[in-house]
Amino acid sequence: MEAVIWKRPCVLALKSCGPFATCGSRGTFGFRNGGRAPQRTFILRVINSTGSGAVVARPSSARKYKKSEGVDRKLAALRQLFHKPGLQMDAYIIPSQDPHQSEFIAECFMRRAFISGFTGSAGTAVVTKDKASLWTDGRYFLQAENQLGPDWMLMRAGTPGVPTVSEWLTDVLSPGSKVGIDPFLFSSDAAEELKHTLSTKDHKLIYVYDGNLVDEIWKEDRPKPPAAPVRVHDIKYAGLDVSSKISSLRQNLVEAGATSIVISMLDEIAWLLNLRGNDVAHSPVAYAYLIVELDSTTLFIDPSKITPEVTVHLRNSNVTVKPYESLLLEVERLANCGAKLWLDTSCTNVAIVDAFHSACNKYFENLPKRSKQKSIKERNKLLNAKSIDSEMEGPLAIHKASPVAIAKAIKNGAELDGMRQAHLRDAAALAEFWTWLETKVVQDKTTFTEVEVADKLLEFRSKQAGFLDTSFDTISGSGANGAIIHYRAEPDTCDIVDDKKLYLLDSGGQYVDGTTDVTRTVHLGEPSSREMECFTRVLQGHIALDQAIFPENTPGFVLDVLARSSLWKIGLDYCHGTGHGVGASLNVHEGPQGISYRYENMTGLQEGMIVSNEPGYYEDRSFGIRIENLVIVRDMETANRFGGNSYLGFERLTFVPIQSKLLDLSLMSPAEIEWLNNYHSEVWEKVSPLVQGDVHEWLWKNTRPVPVHSTA
């Protein structure tokens, strides 16, 4: 699946109250720099070394709409709510996020899709009293054009001419306006950045705690919150028991001077507790929060999701269960007890952070004067301290990246073995699928819709041992639809798959032992010379990245140029990242590592991480090309170790043939052709024992060596 970019802060700074920079959120809106911490809420904050961690959306061309033929009833109803008693707002921001800053969310949280009609996974809607705009990135421009109604303006984030959400609001609103947000849907960093930018024009950001305004319009049609039971993730796949993981986390707390931590990212909770859920389509997670203290662990979740087996599992791991809705009360209790609370403000919603800060303020307000002065004096020492004394009086917020993110990203031996096995079974399913498709389309002259083809792939995958679900909505794009980077075929509007057009298929599976994600682009007839040249250059970029050797802890953006250089030579490029992290039987998009042209992500690649390698090229309304494999970051033996550093490279996980007939061999070097031949030899060796009959024959034909002497 196409890469997204995850950002983690990387430079340590200490501040009490006052302006501070932030590391940004995971959304697509671009806010800048921070605001002010509440008085007497002393904060340890990690700052991005670039000075601004948010994705800053640069201007884009504005979309021209036809004159509206009627009033958008949803927008009209939402604007009426601006005048509710106690609100009196001038604008309302509707992000894509759920309370956990998840990329993929349950249907009940798809408020932005409901209000705007745009169903892509990333985007931010902003509604004022007389305007409605939607921001999204290059993956979704074409989709948004097709789905937005005439009362909406598309803001193409990241392209020249397009302001960020906060810039746009400061321009279109009269000074002193009020902008409302649901504090459960914004990370603390995003809210602070937005607050700071809005304040430059005397605008005020208000937190609407009294229910989400979109929900008031959605009413009884809003889907119910998911209630599926959670399950235990077997230790033979997890590789490490819960007690060991929590023990390591507590060591992180001690080293940071913290006494507790709030974890809100769903995949981090699933990984830490060796649990999996079914609350979000394609992602095996459950809606929950987790608080880990030095002497206790509490899971906040709907108790109805806890089965007897999970009850025993949690009891054996000394984990207590409390209702999901009781989290804020527990956060306030921690402040009242003087806790040193670790909060990752890049992903923890502002409602949680605000609750702790407010409780901290009350704590200090209630202290006797002498104790209050002593507590403030102790905290002032933090500005020059190398570590935090957990014996200091009073609560403290420690704003720092979650240590669980890196621990989860570096897979252990059992997780890597499970991923390898899942990918081989997945490759066998794909070999069966491609055999079927080529036979039907090329030999039998049958045509299928994009949806029918995707359904057939699911049928083949479902037969594999340990298959649970797809890892994301299959991207089945024929011809021009392949140029829509995150295209989703719908039965009533989709195209056919035939031998006249390029066909892009990006798909993946969730297995009990691993998660897969693979993209192949094929032509079942005769490709044009233009298609062949573009395909070849995409493959050259894929090969260059696959062969990279680099020092340990190299950030992914350093490698991104390798995947684009062949396209750049003829003035082509693509509007998405080159690689994203992937979880082990978890989320198909995983942070904090990634490979992208955006240099904000300073996370170094480390042995055991898994990333995708997926350069592409897309011609609007014509065709799309992407070639994607997953790879493991592994140690490489090099003749030298300059500076004593270890050097890393990649081990391939994906073994699916790359269509040779789409190649213009005259553009390829002998070394590149050798790479292709070696890759296909490995595909044959690993996958052929898993298939038979016609599939075995298809695999043989599609893994034969390409003659090196065919090059110019």
Side-chain angles (χ1 to χ4, degrees), residues 445-583:
K445 304 302 179 183
T446 307
T447 59
F448 300 94
T449 68
E450 295 163 330
V451 170
E452 289 171 334
V453 172
D455 289 344
K456 192 67 178 180
L457 174 57
L458 175 59
E459 181 182 321
F460 285 116
R461 272 201 172 103
S462 299
K463 297 176 183 178
Q464 293 297 323
F467 178 81
L468 301 171
D469 191 7
T470 53
S471 56
F472 55 94
D473 284 323
T474 297
I475 300 171
S476 175
S478 178
N481 290 337
I484 303 174
I485 298 172
H486 268 195
Y487 173 69
R488 181 174 180 178
E490 299 290 351
D492 295 334
T493 59
C494 64
D495 201 351
I496 62 170
V497 177
D498 57 22
D499 60 356
K500 304 297 190 297
K501 305 182 291 291
L502 277 178
Y503 175 58
L504 186 154
L505 183 70
D506 187 348
S507 67
Q510 289 286 7
Y511 296 85
V512 68
D513 51 350
T515 302
T516 72
D517 181 3
V518 52
T519 308
R520 288 295 182 265
T521 306
V522 302
H523 201 301
L524 300 176
E526 295 299 324
S528 69
S529 59
R530 172 68 171 177
E531 292 168 337
M532 292 174 67
E533 178 182 13
C534 294
F535 183 89
T536 303
R537 290 187 179 278
V538 171
L539 178 60
Q540 287 174 314
H542 181 98
I543 293 171
L545 181 57
D546 179 89
Q547 293 183 312
I549 296 178
F550 48 93
E552 60 181 342
N553 288 316
T554 296
F557 75 83
V558 175
L559 305 178
D560 183 78
V561 64
L562 298 174
R564 299 178 192 269
S565 59
S566 184
L567 288 165
W568 284 355
K569 288 176 182 177
I570 59 170
L572 301 181
D573 203 349
Y574 51 95
C575 297
H576 59 71
T578 299
H580 57 85
V582 179

Side-chain angles (χ1 to χ4, degrees), residues 605-657:
L605 296 177
Q606 298 183 50
E607 185 175 9
M609 289 180 169
I610 294 174
V611 293
S612 65
N613 173 1
E614 50 178 312
Y617 174 67
Y618 313 89
E619 289 200 355
D620 287 358
R621 298 174 177 83
S622 184
F623 63 82
I625 296 167
R626 188 159 62 249
I627 303 171
E628 177 186 17
N629 285 350
L630 299 191
V631 293
I632 302 170
V633 181
R634 51 163 294 186
D635 184 69
M636 301 295 287
E637 290 295 329
T638 54
N640 303 286
R641 297 248 167 172
F642 181 80
N645 291 325
S646 295
Y647 281 74
L648 305 175
F650 297 120
E651 171 194 337
R652 289 182 290 274
L653 276 172
T654 306
F655 296 101
V656 177

Side-chain angles (χ1 to χ4, degrees), residues 29 32 42 511 541 583:
F29 33 81
R32 293 202 181 113
F42 295 90
Y511 296 85

